[in-house]
Amino acid sequence: MTRSTTNLKTMYGEDNLLMISALQHFLFCPRQCALIHVEQLWQGNLFTAF
């Protein structure tokens, strides 16, 4: 882990950090973001990458 990552986790707490993928999902479709990152209901299939 890099020093800057360690400082962010100490400064804000891991629960307060936002994954870049969550931001990308939110910009594409807020509902999709909630299903994947909040409800954790996303399942990969033949047409999606795991």
Side-chain angles (χ1 to χ4, degrees):
M1 200 177 299
T2 65
R3 183 180 176 143
S4 62
T5 303
T6 304
N7 288 342
L8 282 175
K9 286 184 178 183
T10 303
M11 198 164 143
Y12 296 106
E14 194 167 335
D15 291 340
N16 292 322
L17 297 178
L18 179 65
M19 294 182 358
I20 292 176
S21 61
L23 180 58
Q24 185 273 327
H25 287 130
F26 182 80
L27 292 174
F28 177 73
C29 176
R31 182 173 183 269
Q32 179 192 53
C33 179
L35 288 172
I36 295 170
H37 298 281
V38 177
E39 302 294 329
Q40 298 181 350
L41 294 175
W42 182 261
Q43 291 183 347
N45 63 33
L46 173 65
F47 302 106
T48 61
F50 288 89

